[in-house]
Amino acid sequence: MKMKKRRWFSLILLSFLLVLSACGNKAEVGMNEMTLKELKEKLDNEESFLLVTFSASKEDVEKSELVEAFDKSLSKEEQTAFYVNFDGESQDTLDQLGEKYTPSDYKGDVWEPKDDGLVLIADGAVMKNPRETLLSQSLIEGTANGDDGYETSFMEYMDDIDAGIASALDFAKQNDIELSY
């Protein structure tokens, strides 16, 4: 009798843990941070999703309100995206990532994860988006520091961010790309 109770308890506990782990993997509307390893897993699993990449110090990202601006725009559209900050990653690693996940028919036009900003991923490959939303390190730093020629926050770039997201979503719709989260 004790063995049956233990078995039932173990089964219930295992079921509960499976439910909890499934809930933890659900991405939320807006921006969701991920690591380089998690990004590679999503790409290797041939998933389709919106991705924002950049390379800047955590302090500059916070001061510039980069993530908050994209989060606001995505929330208006009730969309989900993932972002990776490649700060500290070697250029060699980023070049390999770009080459591996750029479709072979994009001859000479390789994804540059450090600068390309918002991209649409379709079945694990970076799609050409008719409207670029570039996020260079100098743009993030200039915005964070309020340098001449830059806005003081990415909230002031909302029209461009909204247009970039709308363009990526339109491209996905026109090409029957179903986003997965």
Side-chain angles (χ1 to χ4, degrees):
M1 188 69 155
K2 226 179 194 184
M3 191 66 129
K4 278 189 171 186
K5 282 184 179 180
R6 211 177 267 168
R7 192 175 301 162
W8 275 107
F9 179 74
S10 296
L11 184 61
I12 291 170
L13 182 61
L14 180 62
S15 298
F16 179 70
L17 290 174
L18 286 173
V19 168
L20 278 180
S21 67
C23 291
N25 290 335
K26 181 75 173 141
E28 301 201 4
V29 167
M31 291 281 273
N32 294 270
E33 185 174 16
M34 65 182 351
T35 65
L36 176 58
K37 180 182 176 185
E38 292 168 330
L39 173 60
K40 287 179 180 179
E41 287 173 6
K42 286 181 84 59
L43 293 168
D44 289 341
N45 287 336
E46 298 183 355
E47 295 181 38
S48 299
F49 55 97
L50 292 175
L51 175 66
V52 179
T53 59
F54 51 88
S55 179
S57 72
K58 185 175 181 177
E59 180 182 318
D60 284 346
V61 172
E62 288 174 5
K63 282 175 54 179
S64 69
E65 299 180 297
L66 170 66
V67 173
E68 292 82 357
F70 273 89
D71 191 62
K72 182 178 179 179
S73 183
L74 289 159
S75 294
K76 283 191 289 190
E77 294 288 331
E78 296 184 14
Q79 290 295 320
T80 299
F82 297 90
Y83 74 95
V84 180
N85 184 349
F86 291 116
D87 189 40
E89 292 294 335
S90 73
Q91 188 61 48
D92 188 47
T93 297
L94 298 177
D95 290 344
Q96 289 174 11
L97 186 70
E99 289 171 19
K100 181 175 181 180
Y101 297 105
T102 299
S104 59
D105 58 338
Y106 289 9
K107 293 177 178 54
D109 193 11
V110 177
W111 174 42
E112 296 180 37
K114 190 174 179 179
D115 296 320
D116 281 352
L118 174 68
V119 294
L120 172 66
I121 306 294
D123 300 324
V126 178
M127 296 288 97
K128 283 188 178 181
N129 188 353
R131 180 184 179 94
E132 293 181 320
T133 308
L134 304 176
L135 294 173
S136 68
Q137 188 173 11
S138 61
L139 173 61
I140 297 168
E141 287 174 359
T143 302
N145 298 321
D147 293 345
D148 286 341
Y150 295 93
E151 302 293 347
T152 57
S153 164
F154 273 93
M155 294 295 186
E156 296 177 48
Y157 295 115
M158 287 307 292
D159 288 343
D160 290 331
I161 293 170
D162 289 346
I165 290 170
S167 177
L169 293 172
D170 287 346
F171 186 86
K173 186 176 181 179
Q174 291 169 1
N175 292 283
D176 294 321
I177 300 168
E178 188 174 325
L179 303 178
S180 55
Y181 304 107

